[in-house]
Amino acid sequence: MKRFLTVLLAAIMVLALAACGSDSGDSKGSAAEGKNSSAKKTIRGGIGLNDSHPQYLGLLKFKEIVEEKTNGDITVETYHSGQLGDDRTMTEALQLGSQEVTIPSTAPLANFVPEFNVFDFPFLFPSEEVADKVLDGEVGQKFLDKLESQNLVGLAYWENGFRDVTNSKHAIATAADFKGLKLRTMENDLHLEAFRALGANPTPMAFTELFTAMQQKTVDGQENPLATIYLQKYYEVQSHVSNTHHVYSPFVFLMSKSFFDGLTEDQQKIVRDAAVEAGVYQRQLNREANEKYLADLQEAGITYTEITPEAREEMVKLVQPAIDKYTEKIGKETVQEVFDAIEAVSK
Ligand code: KDG
């Protein structure tokens, strides 16, 4: 009897699996289906920031373009606030093919392709315009190409922006003010090393845990662009912000390679162009937001401290050993290529 029940159970499971595998009319579009598959496809795009942030508005723009240009053959579902996970877990989901799009900062992405650390060198990019030219140029593309070996396709660079430090203890005007401050950083060793060099006590943490950590005072502060600081309401749990602008943080628009390979050539072009076009829109909104929100933050009760050029120069000196160490790790030639590109477009 027991044996009969076991066989019956196994047969039911096989039937259930077969039913799941049958065409439901809404495929996630794996490569195995073949490029000419007419099955409808769904892109699940997830990000960490909330639905008022320019990153989410950019994702909505991507959805609008893709759905229109594919006449609805590809549907884009959008998820914000870490609903699908944090930068690392969503990138892993893309590798596994269980999610199609995410747009992480380069810092957590460097855990997959270490060369991306170069874009997180403190004080690397002098302006957003220079960053655009380098990232959208030949050098930026070379880095996107490196993602393929990780089962990822980099479709475009978007913008997180220049990062500024906030905390709940005291104003930061010079490097000396970092001493002992418990700062949350992104999950990236170079960021940890740079903040240690400045005298802080950094701790890596996923973005999704940050607000609670500040609220519960597990950390004293964090660093992010002004748009994030305002739109994620960090002013409710932080009292000081300084324009440290210690790093320009790009986003990379990523697609799962297995999903991308399963698209027709036309569809591949549509998603690539849409990621670029939505990125231009996202960068513009982001810049407007970063400009606008300093006043709003002050109105919300945050004290703003300006970093003088001399104080910033001191910070630049302190983080140099971290840059040297990561130049060795990444490879001098690769780093030099980025430095040269920055110089070339800065003229
Ligand atoms: O959606 C992107 C965010 O998940 C993340 O990259 C934000 O800058 C960020 C951080 O500090 O984690």
Side-chain angles (χ1 to χ4, degrees), residues 13-28 30 33:
M13 279 174 72
V14 169
L15 284 173
L17 283 172
C20 291
S22 73
D23 191 2
S24 61
D26 181 10
S27 133
K28 298 295 178 199
S30 75
E33 287 165 24

Side-chain angles (χ1 to χ4, degrees), residues 47-49 55 86-87 90 103-105 108 160 163 184 186 205-207 210 222-225 249 251:
I47 59 166
L49 290 154
Q55 190 187 31
D86 57 47
D87 283 347
M90 287 192 285
I103 318 170
S105 302
N160 198 352
R163 303 178 78 91
R184 174 270 177 178
M186 290 188 280
M205 190 183 289
F207 184 71
L210 176 55
Q222 64 84 47
E223 43 80 59
N224 252 298
S249 190
F251 283 139

